[in-house]
Amino acid sequence: MEQESMDVGARLRMVRDRFGLSQRELAKRAGVTNGTISLIEQNRVSPSVSSLKKVLEGLPMTLADFFTFDSDPEQARVFYQAHELPNLGNEQIRLLLVGTAHDKRDIAILREVYEAGADTGPDMLTHDGQEGGVIIKGSIEVTVNNESRVLGPGDAYYFDSRLPHRFRNAGAEICEVVSASSPPTF
């Protein structure tokens, strides 16, 4: 069973309200226009992963915190069913997070599903730590610090996440990746 999409606009509005910020104040803190915040909250645009991360830096909040904000605290768990993994991405790039019930996660483990043509956005991602992954199905173009490589099933990557990076499925089929990053930024 696939994870159903979350209303990103309503969630952003709820989180922004909980932090007591106006659209204008959040936009100023995140370095975006308040029109961007308004369009996201009205679900008139579906933000790329990099765009949403940039907006959340104004709170500051990680993608995992954003998508699990106000989740009922649970006892630490060991096993998770596929439908229990929250989607930290969007419909084009599903970033399914493992281990959300743990107060202190030292690593972020994701099942990433990229639709044909999907990419993480025009802005290169950067964050503290290291990340790596293994391509399970399809192919993905990984760009790290202006070096690009198309990877297929069984291929892998590992790099310092402070280097600018992005992911793009230039293929005609879905790409699946299992990745990990530490410290967790998701």
Side-chain angles (χ1 to χ4, degrees):
M1 176 191 310
E2 281 300 327
Q3 178 75 21
E4 66 182 62
S5 293
M6 179 177 285
D7 184 340
V8 173
R11 180 160 278 279
L12 180 59
R13 186 172 33 260
M14 181 267 299
V15 169
R16 180 180 56 76
D17 287 345
R18 290 275 176 90
F19 277 81
L21 299 175
S22 67
Q23 286 182 348
R24 193 172 308 285
E25 179 61 27
L26 176 56
K28 181 179 172 185
R29 288 182 177 197
V32 300
T33 67
N34 78 300
T36 298
I37 304 297
S38 177
L39 289 171
I40 292 170
E41 288 187 358
Q42 294 173 40
N43 287 313
R44 292 181 58 200
V45 296
S46 179
S48 68
V49 173
S50 61
S51 297
L52 185 56
K53 279 187 78 156
K54 183 175 177 89
V55 167
L56 295 178
E57 287 172 3
L59 292 171
M61 176 179 272
T62 67
L63 283 169
D65 291 340
F66 177 73
F67 285 102
T68 59
F69 189 75
D70 264 355
S71 292
D72 293 330
E74 299 179 39
Q75 183 175 349
R77 295 173 46 196
V78 176
F79 303 106
Y80 297 83
Q81 298 293 307
H83 70 275
E84 296 175 313
L85 305 180
N87 180 7
L88 309 184
N90 54 40
E91 303 218 354
Q92 289 295 305
I93 301 175
R94 292 184 302 282
L95 302 171
L96 306 167
L97 181 65
V98 176
T100 57
H102 291 265
D103 286 345
K104 173 100 174 79
R105 281 183 301 109
D106 293 325
I107 188 169
I109 301 171
L110 297 170
R111 174 181 169 230
E112 303 179 25
V113 182
Y114 295 81
E115 295 293 326
D119 68 49
T120 53
D123 297 329
M124 299 287 272
L125 302 168
T126 59
H127 48 90
D128 286 336
Q130 300 175 338
E131 65 185 87
V134 177
I135 291 59
I136 305 302
K137 174 182 167 184
S139 63
I140 191 92
E141 179 186 62
V142 180
T143 301
V144 178
N145 207 25
N146 297 319
E147 182 180 349
S148 295
R149 179 91 38 98
V150 176
L151 303 174
D155 295 339
Y157 60 88
Y158 189 95
F159 58 89
D160 182 324
S161 304
R162 290 174 293 199
L163 297 173
H165 56 281
R166 79 183 274 224
F167 299 86
R168 181 173 74 97
N169 181 356
E173 67 179 85
I174 287 176
C175 174
E176 289 193 39
V177 177
V178 173
S179 70
S181 64
S182 181
T185 56
F186 284 100

